[in-house]
Amino acid sequence: MIIGIGSDLADIRRIERTLERWGDRFVQRVFTEIEQAKSDRRRERAASYAKRWAAKEACSKALGTGLRMGVAWREMGVVNLPSGQPTMQLAGGAAQRLAGLVPPGHRAHVHLTITDDHPYAQAFVVIEARPIMSAGSQR
């Protein structure tokens, strides 16, 4: 069952200006170490950060909180599964909010898609609650 949907569109030029003005202060405040390492290796650094910015915004919307109610920027981070597929890793208040949304007997699964086409970056997040299967059940 779907328990949250969020989307966001970010202007890469705006993120680029923010990076130029605030530099490491902005990066440290908003992005996880994993996101920083990935984005700083990219030729299109601002686009990489803009996609991650959009993903955080979309995730906060899917959580139903925005960036308030105990949910902070660095508590939501874009990570890649071994297949390369992006997803969100939540910690702190964001993880607590997610846990509160998931019905008993279910586990949360966060779907994420991110893309960019200069000058925009876009992200969609869908939070799904999947039933937890016991060892003896089949489905």
Side-chain angles (χ1 to χ4, degrees):
M1 92 181 66
I2 294 174
I3 56 176
I5 299 173
S7 69
D8 192 66
L9 183 67
D11 189 323
I12 296 168
R13 299 165 297 190
R14 179 173 161 244
I15 299 299
E16 189 168 37
R17 287 190 303 270
T18 303
L19 287 166
E20 289 169 0
R21 179 171 183 193
W22 298 104
D24 201 45
R25 184 175 172 189
F26 168 66
V27 169
Q28 293 295 322
R29 181 172 179 250
V30 175
F31 301 98
T32 66
E33 291 174 11
I34 292 170
E35 291 173 312
Q36 291 173 41
K38 189 132 190 154
S39 293
D40 288 341
R41 288 192 313 259
R42 298 282 191 240
R43 187 173 50 101
E44 298 294 333
R45 182 174 180 252
S48 182
Y49 276 121
K51 285 189 286 191
R52 284 152 181 75
W53 173 277
K56 291 167 185 284
E57 286 277 5
C59 186
S60 71
K61 292 170 186 175
L63 289 170
T65 61
L67 286 157
R68 57 186 178 80
M69 298 174 60
V71 175
W73 289 110
R74 287 180 53 99
E75 294 176 344
M76 301 172 287
V78 177
V79 296
N80 294 89
L81 300 175
S83 66
Q85 177 184 1
T87 188
M88 296 297 294
Q89 186 174 54
L90 305 183
Q96 291 174 347
R97 173 67 180 172
L98 177 61
L101 294 174
V102 179
H106 289 74
R107 169 181 36 244
H109 183 80
V110 180
H111 302 272
L112 168 66
T113 184
I114 53 178
T115 190
D116 68 285
D117 188 6
H118 200 276
Y120 300 108
Q122 186 175 37
F124 291 95
V125 170
V126 175
I127 302 174
E128 176 187 15
R130 293 180 175 174
I132 298 171
M133 297 290 151
S134 63
S137 67
Q138 293 181 355
R139 195 165 205 194

Coordinates of all heavy atoms in Angstrom, one line a residue, residues 9-103:
L9 N 10.8 19.8 -8.1 CA 11.6 20.3 -9.2 C 12.5 21.4 -8.7 O 12.1 22.4 -8.1 CB 10.6 20.9 -10.3 CG 11.2 21.4 -11.6 CD1 11.7 20.2 -12.4 CD2 10.1 22.1 -12.4
A10 N 13.8 21.2 -9.0 CA 14.8 22.2 -8.5 C 15.5 22.8 -9.7 O 15.8 22.1 -10.7 CB 15.8 21.5 -7.6
D11 N 15.8 24.1 -9.6 CA 16.5 24.8 -10.6 C 18.0 24.6 -10.4 O 18.5 25.1 -9.3 CB 16.1 26.3 -10.6 CG 16.7 27.1 -11.8 OD1 17.8 26.8 -12.2 OD2 16.0 28.0 -12.2
I12 N 18.7 23.9 -11.3 CA 20.2 23.7 -11.1 C 20.9 25.0 -11.0 O 21.9 25.1 -10.2 CB 20.7 22.8 -12.3 CG1 20.0 21.5 -12.3 CG2 22.2 22.7 -12.2 CD1 20.2 20.7 -13.5
R13 N 20.5 26.0 -11.7 CA 21.2 27.3 -11.6 C 21.1 27.9 -10.2 O 22.1 28.5 -9.7 CB 20.6 28.3 -12.6 CG 20.8 27.8 -14.1 CD 19.9 28.6 -15.0 NE 18.5 28.4 -14.7 CZ 17.5 28.8 -15.4 NH1 17.7 29.4 -16.5 NH2 16.2 28.5 -15.0
R14 N 20.0 27.7 -9.5 CA 19.9 28.2 -8.2 C 20.8 27.5 -7.2 O 21.5 28.1 -6.4 CB 18.4 28.0 -7.7 CG 18.2 28.5 -6.3 CD 16.7 28.5 -6.0 NE 16.5 28.5 -4.6 CZ 16.0 27.5 -3.9 NH1 15.6 26.4 -4.4 NH2 15.9 27.5 -2.5
I15 N 20.9 26.2 -7.4 CA 21.8 25.4 -6.5 C 23.3 25.8 -6.8 O 24.1 25.9 -5.9 CB 21.6 23.9 -6.7 CG1 20.2 23.5 -6.3 CG2 22.6 23.0 -6.0 CD1 19.8 23.7 -4.9
E16 N 23.6 26.0 -8.1 CA 24.9 26.4 -8.5 C 25.3 27.8 -7.8 O 26.4 27.9 -7.3 CB 25.0 26.5 -10.0 CG 26.4 26.7 -10.5 CD 26.5 26.5 -12.0 OE1 25.5 26.9 -12.7 OE2 27.5 26.0 -12.5
R17 N 24.4 28.7 -7.9 CA 24.6 30.0 -7.2 C 24.8 29.8 -5.7 O 25.6 30.5 -5.1 CB 23.5 31.0 -7.5 CG 23.5 31.5 -8.9 CD 22.5 32.7 -9.1 NE 21.1 32.3 -8.8 CZ 20.2 31.8 -9.6 NH1 20.5 31.6 -10.9 NH2 19.0 31.6 -9.2
T18 N 24.0 29.0 -5.1 CA 24.1 28.7 -3.7 C 25.5 28.1 -3.3 O 26.1 28.4 -2.3 CB 22.9 27.8 -3.2 OG1 21.7 28.4 -3.5 CG2 23.0 27.6 -1.7
L19 N 25.9 27.1 -4.2 CA 27.2 26.5 -4.0 C 28.3 27.6 -4.1 O 29.3 27.6 -3.3 CB 27.4 25.4 -5.0 CG 26.7 24.1 -4.7 CD1 26.7 23.2 -6.0 CD2 27.2 23.4 -3.5
E20 N 28.2 28.5 -5.0 CA 29.2 29.5 -5.2 C 29.2 30.5 -4.0 O 30.3 30.9 -3.6 CB 28.9 30.3 -6.5 CG 29.2 29.5 -7.8 CD 28.7 30.2 -9.0 OE1 28.1 31.3 -9.0 OE2 28.9 29.6 -10.1
R21 N 28.0 30.8 -3.5 CA 28.0 31.8 -2.4 C 28.3 31.2 -1.1 O 29.1 31.8 -0.3 CB 26.5 32.4 -2.4 CG 26.4 33.4 -1.2 CD 25.1 34.1 -1.3 NE 25.1 35.1 -0.2 CZ 24.1 35.7 0.2 NH1 22.9 35.5 -0.4 NH2 24.1 36.6 1.2
W22 N 27.8 30.0 -0.8 CA 28.0 29.5 0.6 C 28.9 28.3 0.6 O 29.4 27.9 1.7 CB 26.6 29.0 1.1 CG 25.7 30.2 1.3 CD1 24.6 30.5 0.4 CD2 25.7 31.2 2.2 NE1 24.0 31.6 0.9 CE2 24.6 32.1 2.0 CE3 26.5 31.5 3.3 CZ2 24.4 33.2 2.8 CZ3 26.3 32.6 4.1 CH2 25.2 33.4 3.8
G23 N 29.2 27.7 -0.5 CA 30.2 26.6 -0.6 C 30.0 25.5 0.4 O 28.9 24.9 0.6
D24 N 31.1 25.2 1.2 CA 31.1 24.1 2.1 C 30.1 24.2 3.2 O 29.6 23.2 3.7 CB 32.5 23.9 2.6 CG 32.7 22.5 3.2 OD1 32.4 21.5 2.5 OD2 33.3 22.4 4.3
R25 N 29.8 25.4 3.6 CA 28.8 25.7 4.6 C 27.4 25.1 4.2 O 26.7 24.4 5.0 CB 28.7 27.2 4.9 CG 27.8 27.5 6.0 CD 27.9 29.0 6.3 NE 26.8 29.4 7.3 CZ 26.5 30.6 7.6 NH1 27.2 31.6 7.1 NH2 25.6 30.8 8.5
F26 N 27.0 25.4 3.0 CA 25.8 24.9 2.5 C 25.8 23.3 2.3 O 24.9 22.6 2.8 CB 25.5 25.5 1.1 CG 24.4 24.8 0.3 CD1 23.1 24.9 0.7 CD2 24.7 24.2 -0.9 CE1 22.1 24.3 0.0 CE2 23.7 23.6 -1.7 CZ 22.4 23.7 -1.2
V27 N 26.9 22.8 1.7 CA 27.0 21.4 1.5 C 27.0 20.6 2.8 O 26.3 19.6 2.9 CB 28.3 21.1 0.7 CG1 28.6 19.6 0.7 CG2 28.2 21.6 -0.7
Q28 N 27.7 21.1 3.8 CA 27.7 20.4 5.1 C 26.4 20.4 5.9 O 26.0 19.5 6.6 CB 28.8 21.0 6.0 CG 30.2 20.8 5.5 CD 30.6 19.3 5.6 OE1 30.3 18.6 6.5 NE2 31.4 18.9 4.6
R29 N 25.7 21.5 5.7 CA 24.4 21.7 6.3 C 23.3 20.8 5.8 O 22.4 20.3 6.5 CB 23.9 23.1 6.3 CG 22.6 23.4 7.0 CD 22.3 24.9 7.0 NE 21.1 25.1 7.7 CZ 20.0 25.6 7.1 NH1 20.0 25.8 5.8 NH2 18.9 25.7 7.7
V30 N 23.3 20.6 4.5 CA 22.2 19.9 3.8 C 22.5 18.5 3.4 O 21.6 17.6 3.5 CB 21.8 20.7 2.5 CG1 20.8 20.0 1.7 CG2 21.4 22.1 2.9
F31 N 23.7 18.1 3.0 CA 24.0 16.8 2.3 C 24.8 15.9 3.2 O 25.7 16.3 4.0 CB 24.7 17.0 1.0 CG 23.9 17.9 0.1 CD1 24.1 19.2 -0.1 CD2 22.9 17.3 -0.7 CE1 23.4 20.0 -1.0 CE2 22.1 18.1 -1.5 CZ 22.4 19.4 -1.7
T32 N 24.5 14.6 3.1 CA 25.2 13.6 3.9 C 26.6 13.4 3.3 O 26.9 13.8 2.2 CB 24.5 12.2 3.9 OG1 24.5 11.7 2.5 CG2 23.0 12.3 4.4
E33 N 27.4 12.7 4.0 CA 28.8 12.5 3.5 C 28.8 11.6 2.3 O 29.6 11.9 1.3 CB 29.6 11.8 4.6 CG 29.9 12.7 5.8 CD 30.6 12.0 6.9 OE1 31.1 10.9 6.8 OE2 30.7 12.6 8.0
I34 N 27.9 10.7 2.2 CA 27.8 9.8 1.0 C 27.4 10.7 -0.2 O 27.9 10.6 -1.3 CB 26.7 8.7 1.2 CG1 27.3 7.7 2.2 CG2 26.4 8.0 -0.1 CD1 26.3 6.7 2.7
E35 N 26.4 11.6 0.0 CA 26.0 12.5 -1.1 C 27.1 13.4 -1.5 O 27.3 13.7 -2.7 CB 24.7 13.3 -0.7 CG 23.5 12.5 -0.5 CD 22.4 13.3 0.1 OE1 22.6 14.0 1.1 OE2 21.2 13.2 -0.4
Q36 N 27.8 13.9 -0.6 CA 28.9 14.8 -0.9 C 30.0 14.1 -1.7 O 30.5 14.7 -2.7 CB 29.5 15.4 0.4 CG 28.6 16.3 1.2 CD 29.2 16.7 2.5 OE1 30.4 16.9 2.6 NE2 28.4 16.7 3.5
A37 N 30.3 12.9 -1.3 CA 31.4 12.2 -2.0 C 31.0 11.9 -3.4 O 31.7 12.1 -4.4 CB 31.7 10.9 -1.3
K38 N 29.7 11.5 -3.6 CA 29.2 11.2 -5.0 C 29.1 12.5 -5.8 O 29.6 12.5 -7.0 CB 27.8 10.6 -4.9 CG 27.3 10.0 -6.2 CD 26.8 8.7 -5.9 CE 26.5 8.0 -7.2 NZ 26.6 6.6 -7.2
S39 N 28.6 13.6 -5.3 CA 28.4 14.8 -6.1 C 29.7 15.5 -6.4 O 29.9 16.0 -7.5 CB 27.5 15.8 -5.3 OG 26.2 15.2 -5.3
D40 N 30.7 15.4 -5.4 CA 31.9 16.1 -5.7 C 32.8 15.4 -6.7 O 33.7 16.0 -7.2 CB 32.7 16.3 -4.3 CG 32.1 17.3 -3.4 OD1 31.3 18.2 -3.9 OD2 32.3 17.3 -2.2
R41 N 32.5 14.2 -7.0 CA 33.2 13.4 -8.1 C 32.6 13.7 -9.5 O 33.2 13.4 -10.5 CB 33.1 11.9 -7.9 CG 34.0 11.4 -6.7 CD 34.1 9.9 -6.7 NE 32.8 9.2 -6.9 CZ 32.1 8.6 -5.9 NH1 32.5 8.7 -4.7 NH2 31.0 8.0 -6.2
R42 N 31.4 14.3 -9.5 CA 30.7 14.5 -10.8 C 31.2 15.7 -11.6 O 31.6 16.8 -11.0 CB 29.2 14.7 -10.5 CG 28.6 13.5 -9.9 CD 28.3 12.5 -11.0 NE 27.5 11.4 -10.4 CZ 27.8 10.1 -10.3 NH1 29.0 9.8 -10.7 NH2 27.0 9.3 -9.9
R43 N 31.3 15.6 -12.9 CA 31.6 16.8 -13.7 C 30.6 17.8 -13.6 O 30.9 19.0 -13.5 CB 31.7 16.3 -15.2 CG 32.3 17.3 -16.1 CD 32.5 16.7 -17.5 NE 31.4 15.9 -18.0 CZ 30.5 16.4 -18.9 NH1 30.6 17.6 -19.4 NH2 29.5 15.6 -19.3
E44 N 29.3 17.4 -13.6 CA 28.2 18.4 -13.4 C 27.8 18.4 -11.9 O 26.7 17.9 -11.5 CB 27.0 18.0 -14.2 CG 27.3 18.0 -15.7 CD 27.6 19.4 -16.3 OE1 27.0 20.4 -15.7 OE2 28.3 19.5 -17.3
R45 N 28.7 19.0 -11.1 CA 28.5 18.9 -9.6 C 27.2 19.6 -9.2 O 26.5 19.0 -8.3 CB 29.7 19.7 -9.0 CG 29.7 19.7 -7.5 CD 31.1 20.3 -7.0 NE 31.1 20.4 -5.6 CZ 31.0 21.5 -4.9 NH1 30.9 22.7 -5.5 NH2 31.0 21.5 -3.6
A46 N 26.9 20.7 -9.7 CA 25.7 21.4 -9.3 C 24.4 20.6 -9.6 O 23.5 20.6 -8.8 CB 25.6 22.8 -9.9
A47 N 24.4 20.0 -10.8 CA 23.3 19.1 -11.2 C 23.1 18.0 -10.2 O 22.0 17.6 -9.9 CB 23.4 18.7 -12.6
S48 N 24.2 17.4 -9.8 CA 24.2 16.3 -8.9 C 23.6 16.7 -7.5 O 22.8 16.0 -7.0 CB 25.6 15.7 -8.7 OG 25.6 14.6 -7.9
Y49 N 24.1 17.8 -7.0 CA 23.5 18.3 -5.8 C 22.1 18.7 -6.0 O 21.2 18.5 -5.1 CB 24.3 19.5 -5.3 CG 25.6 19.1 -4.5 CD1 26.8 19.5 -4.9 CD2 25.4 18.3 -3.3 CE1 28.0 19.1 -4.1 CE2 26.6 18.0 -2.6 CZ 27.8 18.4 -3.0 OH 28.9 18.0 -2.3
A50 N 21.7 19.3 -7.1 CA 20.3 19.7 -7.3 C 19.4 18.5 -7.3 O 18.2 18.5 -6.8 CB 20.2 20.4 -8.6
K51 N 19.8 17.4 -7.9 CA 19.0 16.1 -7.9 C 18.8 15.7 -6.4 O 17.7 15.2 -6.1 CB 19.6 15.0 -8.7 CG 19.5 15.3 -10.2 CD 20.0 14.1 -11.0 CE 21.5 13.9 -11.0 NZ 21.9 12.9 -12.0
R52 N 19.8 15.7 -5.7 CA 19.7 15.3 -4.3 C 18.9 16.2 -3.4 O 18.1 15.8 -2.6 CB 21.1 15.1 -3.7 CG 21.8 13.8 -4.2 CD 23.3 13.8 -4.3 NE 23.7 12.5 -4.8 CZ 23.6 12.1 -6.1 NH1 23.1 12.9 -7.0 NH2 24.0 10.9 -6.5
W53 N 19.0 17.5 -3.7 CA 18.1 18.5 -3.1 C 16.7 18.2 -3.4 O 15.8 18.1 -2.5 CB 18.5 19.9 -3.6 CG 17.6 21.0 -3.1 CD1 16.3 21.3 -3.7 CD2 17.8 21.9 -2.0 NE1 15.8 22.4 -3.0 CE2 16.6 22.7 -2.0 CE3 18.8 22.0 -1.1 CZ2 16.5 23.7 -1.0 CZ3 18.6 23.0 -0.2 CH2 17.5 23.9 -0.1
A54 N 16.3 17.9 -4.6 CA 15.0 17.6 -5.1 C 14.5 16.3 -4.4 O 13.3 16.2 -4.0 CB 14.9 17.5 -6.6
A55 N 15.4 15.4 -4.3 CA 15.0 14.1 -3.6 C 14.7 14.3 -2.1 O 13.7 13.7 -1.6 CB 16.1 13.1 -3.7
K56 N 15.4 15.1 -1.5 CA 15.1 15.4 -0.1 C 13.8 16.2 0.1 O 13.0 15.8 1.0 CB 16.3 16.3 0.5 CG 17.6 15.6 0.7 CD 18.7 16.5 1.0 CE 20.0 15.9 1.1 NZ 20.2 15.1 2.3
E57 N 13.6 17.1 -0.8 CA 12.3 17.8 -0.8 C 11.1 16.9 -1.0 O 10.1 16.9 -0.3 CB 12.3 18.9 -1.8 CG 13.1 20.1 -1.4 CD 12.4 21.1 -0.5 OE1 11.3 20.8 -0.1 OE2 13.0 22.2 -0.2
A58 N 11.3 16.0 -2.0 CA 10.2 15.1 -2.4 C 10.0 14.1 -1.2 O 8.8 13.7 -0.9 CB 10.6 14.3 -3.7
C59 N 11.1 13.6 -0.6 CA 10.9 12.7 0.5 C 10.2 13.3 1.7 O 9.3 12.7 2.3 CB 12.3 12.2 0.9 SG 12.3 10.9 2.2
S60 N 10.6 14.6 2.0 CA 9.9 15.3 3.1 C 8.4 15.4 2.8 O 7.6 15.3 3.7 CB 10.6 16.6 3.4 OG 10.3 17.6 2.4
K61 N 8.1 15.6 1.6 CA 6.6 15.7 1.2 C 6.0 14.4 1.3 O 4.8 14.3 1.8 CB 6.5 16.3 -0.2 CG 6.9 17.7 -0.3 CD 7.0 18.2 -1.8 CE 7.6 19.6 -1.9 NZ 7.8 20.0 -3.3
A62 N 6.6 13.3 0.9 CA 6.1 12.0 1.0 C 5.9 11.6 2.5 O 5.0 10.9 2.8 CB 7.0 10.9 0.3
L63 N 6.8 12.1 3.4 CA 6.6 11.9 4.8 C 5.5 12.7 5.4 O 5.0 12.4 6.5 CB 7.9 12.2 5.5 CG 9.1 11.2 5.3 CD1 10.4 11.8 5.9 CD2 8.8 9.9 5.9
G64 N 5.0 13.7 4.7 CA 3.9 14.5 5.1 C 4.3 15.6 6.1 O 3.4 16.2 6.7
T65 N 5.6 15.9 6.1 CA 6.0 16.9 7.1 C 6.6 18.1 6.5 O 6.7 19.2 7.1 CB 7.1 16.3 8.0 OG1 8.2 15.9 7.2 CG2 6.6 15.1 8.8
G66 N 7.2 18.0 5.3 CA 8.1 19.0 4.8 C 9.3 19.0 5.7 O 9.5 18.0 6.4
L67 N 10.0 20.1 5.7 CA 11.2 20.1 6.5 C 10.9 20.8 7.9 O 11.3 21.9 8.1 CB 12.4 20.8 5.8 CG 13.0 19.9 4.7 CD1 13.6 20.7 3.7 CD2 13.9 18.9 5.3
R68 N 10.1 20.1 8.6 CA 9.7 20.5 9.9 C 9.2 19.3 10.7 O 9.4 18.2 10.3 CB 8.5 21.6 9.9 CG 7.3 21.1 9.1 CD 6.3 22.2 8.9 NE 5.2 21.7 8.2 CZ 4.2 21.0 8.7 NH1 4.1 20.7 9.9 NH2 3.2 20.6 7.9
M69 N 8.7 19.5 11.9 CA 8.2 18.4 12.7 C 9.3 17.4 13.0 O 9.1 16.2 12.9 CB 7.0 17.7 12.1 CG 5.8 18.6 12.0 SD 4.4 17.9 11.1 CE 4.0 16.5 12.0
G70 N 10.6 17.9 13.2 CA 11.7 17.0 13.6 C 12.4 16.3 12.4 O 13.2 15.5 12.6
V71 N 12.0 16.7 11.2 CA 12.7 16.2 10.0 C 13.7 17.2 9.5 O 13.4 18.3 9.2 CB 11.7 15.8 8.9 CG1 12.4 15.3 7.6 CG2 10.7 14.7 9.4
A72 N 15.0 16.8 9.3 CA 16.0 17.7 8.9 C 16.7 17.2 7.6 O 16.6 16.0 7.3 CB 17.1 17.8 10.0
W73 N 17.4 18.1 6.9 CA 18.0 17.8 5.6 C 18.9 16.6 5.7 O 18.8 15.7 4.8 CB 18.9 19.0 5.2 CG 18.1 20.2 4.8 CD1 18.0 21.4 5.4 CD2 17.4 20.4 3.6 NE1 17.3 22.3 4.7 CE2 16.8 21.7 3.6 CE3 17.1 19.5 2.5 CZ2 16.1 22.2 2.5 CZ3 16.3 20.0 1.5 CH2 15.8 21.3 1.5
R74 N 19.8 16.5 6.6 CA 20.9 15.5 6.6 C 20.3 14.1 7.1 O 21.0 13.1 7.1 CB 22.1 15.9 7.4 CG 22.9 17.0 6.7 CD 24.1 17.4 7.5 NE 24.9 16.3 8.0 CZ 26.0 15.9 7.4 NH1 26.5 16.5 6.3 NH2 26.7 14.9 7.9
E75 N 19.0 14.1 7.5 CA 18.4 12.9 8.0 C 17.8 12.1 6.8 O 17.4 11.0 7.0 CB 17.3 13.1 9.0 CG 17.9 13.7 10.3 CD 16.8 14.1 11.3 OE1 15.6 14.2 10.9 OE2 17.1 14.3 12.4
M76 N 17.9 12.7 5.6 CA 17.4 12.0 4.4 C 18.6 12.1 3.4 O 19.1 13.2 3.1 CB 16.2 12.8 3.8 CG 15.0 12.9 4.7 SD 13.7 14.0 4.1 CE 14.5 15.6 4.3
G77 N 19.0 10.9 3.0 CA 20.1 10.9 2.0 C 19.9 9.9 0.9 O 19.3 8.9 1.1
V78 N 20.3 10.4 -0.3 CA 20.2 9.5 -1.5 C 21.4 8.5 -1.4 O 22.5 8.9 -1.3 CB 20.3 10.3 -2.8 CG1 20.3 9.4 -4.0 CG2 19.1 11.3 -2.8
V79 N 21.0 7.3 -1.5 CA 22.0 6.2 -1.6 C 21.7 5.3 -2.8 O 20.5 5.3 -3.2 CB 22.1 5.4 -0.3 CG1 22.6 6.2 0.9 CG2 20.8 4.7 0.0
N80 N 22.6 4.6 -3.3 CA 22.4 3.7 -4.4 C 22.4 2.2 -3.9 O 23.3 1.8 -3.2 CB 23.4 3.9 -5.5 CG 23.2 5.3 -6.1 OD1 23.8 6.2 -5.7 ND2 22.4 5.4 -7.1
L81 N 21.5 1.4 -4.4 CA 21.5 0.0 -4.1 C 22.6 -0.6 -5.0 O 23.1 0.0 -5.9 CB 20.1 -0.6 -4.5 CG 18.9 0.0 -3.8 CD1 17.6 -0.6 -4.4 CD2 19.0 -0.3 -2.3
P82 N 23.0 -1.9 -4.7 CA 24.1 -2.5 -5.5 C 23.8 -2.5 -7.0 O 24.7 -2.4 -7.8 CB 24.1 -3.9 -5.0 CG 23.6 -3.8 -3.6 CD 22.6 -2.7 -3.6
S83 N 22.5 -2.4 -7.4 CA 22.2 -2.4 -8.8 C 22.4 -1.0 -9.4 O 22.4 -0.8 -10.6 CB 20.7 -2.7 -9.0 OG 19.9 -1.7 -8.4
G84 N 22.6 0.0 -8.5 CA 22.8 1.4 -9.0 C 21.5 2.2 -8.8 O 21.5 3.4 -8.9
Q85 N 20.4 1.5 -8.6 CA 19.1 2.2 -8.4 C 19.2 3.1 -7.1 O 19.6 2.7 -6.1 CB 18.0 1.2 -8.2 CG 16.7 1.8 -7.9 CD 15.6 0.7 -7.6 OE1 15.9 -0.5 -7.7 NE2 14.4 1.1 -7.4
P86 N 18.7 4.3 -7.3 CA 18.7 5.2 -6.1 C 17.6 4.9 -5.1 O 16.5 4.5 -5.6 CB 18.6 6.6 -6.7 CG 17.8 6.4 -7.9 CD 18.3 5.0 -8.4
T87 N 17.8 5.2 -3.9 CA 16.7 5.1 -2.9 C 17.1 6.1 -1.8 O 18.1 6.8 -1.9 CB 16.5 3.7 -2.3 OG1 15.4 3.7 -1.5 CG2 17.8 3.2 -1.5
M88 N 16.3 6.2 -0.8 CA 16.5 7.2 0.3 C 16.9 6.4 1.6 O 16.2 5.4 1.9 CB 15.3 8.0 0.6 CG 14.9 9.0 -0.5 SD 16.1 10.2 -1.0 CE 16.1 11.2 0.5
Q89 N 17.9 6.8 2.3 CA 18.2 6.3 3.6 C 17.8 7.3 4.6 O 18.3 8.5 4.5 CB 19.7 6.0 3.6 CG 20.2 5.3 4.9 CD 21.6 4.9 4.8 OE1 22.5 5.8 4.5 NE2 21.9 3.7 5.0
L90 N 17.0 7.0 5.6 CA 16.5 7.9 6.6 C 17.1 7.6 7.9 O 17.3 6.5 8.3 CB 15.0 7.8 6.6 CG 14.2 8.0 5.3 CD1 12.7 8.0 5.6 CD2 14.6 9.3 4.7
A91 N 17.3 8.7 8.7 CA 17.9 8.6 10.0 C 17.1 9.6 10.9 O 16.3 10.4 10.4 CB 19.4 8.9 10.0
G92 N 17.4 9.5 12.2 CA 16.8 10.5 13.2 C 15.3 10.7 13.1 O 14.6 9.8 13.0
G93 N 14.9 12.0 13.1 CA 13.5 12.3 13.0 C 12.8 11.9 11.8 O 11.6 11.5 11.8
A94 N 13.5 11.8 10.7 CA 12.9 11.3 9.4 C 12.6 9.9 9.5 O 11.5 9.4 9.1 CB 13.8 11.6 8.2
A95 N 13.5 9.1 10.1 CA 13.3 7.6 10.3 C 12.1 7.4 11.3 O 11.3 6.5 11.1 CB 14.5 6.9 10.8
Q96 N 12.1 8.2 12.3 CA 11.0 8.1 13.3 C 9.6 8.4 12.7 O 8.6 7.7 12.9 CB 11.2 9.0 14.5 CG 12.4 8.6 15.4 CD 12.7 9.6 16.5 OE1 12.2 10.7 16.4 NE2 13.5 9.2 17.4
R97 N 9.6 9.5 11.8 CA 8.3 9.8 11.2 C 7.9 8.7 10.2 O 6.7 8.3 10.2 CB 8.6 11.1 10.4 CG 7.4 11.5 9.5 CD 6.2 11.9 10.3 NE 5.1 12.2 9.3 CZ 3.9 12.4 9.6 NH1 3.5 12.4 10.9 NH2 3.0 12.7 8.7
L98 N 8.9 8.1 9.5 CA 8.6 7.0 8.6 C 8.0 5.8 9.4 O 7.0 5.2 9.0 CB 9.8 6.6 7.8 CG 9.6 5.4 6.9 CD1 8.6 5.6 5.8 CD2 11.0 5.0 6.3
A99 N 8.6 5.5 10.5 CA 8.2 4.4 11.3 C 6.8 4.6 11.8 O 6.0 3.6 11.9 CB 9.1 4.2 12.5
G100 N 6.4 5.8 12.1 CA 5.1 6.1 12.6 C 4.0 6.0 11.5 O 2.8 5.9 11.8
L101 N 4.4 6.1 10.2 CA 3.5 5.9 9.1 C 3.2 4.5 8.7 O 2.2 4.2 8.1 CB 4.0 6.7 7.9 CG 4.2 8.2 7.9 CD1 4.9 8.7 6.7 CD2 2.9 8.8 8.1
V102 N 4.1 3.6 9.1 CA 4.0 2.2 8.6 C 3.1 1.4 9.6 O 3.3 1.4 10.8 CB 5.4 1.6 8.6 CG1 5.3 0.1 8.2 CG2 6.3 2.3 7.6
P103 N 2.0 0.8 9.0 CA 1.1 0.0 9.9 C 1.8 -1.2 10.4 O 2.8 -1.7 9.9 CB 0.0 -0.4 8.9 CG 0.3 0.2 7.6 CD 1.6 0.8 7.6

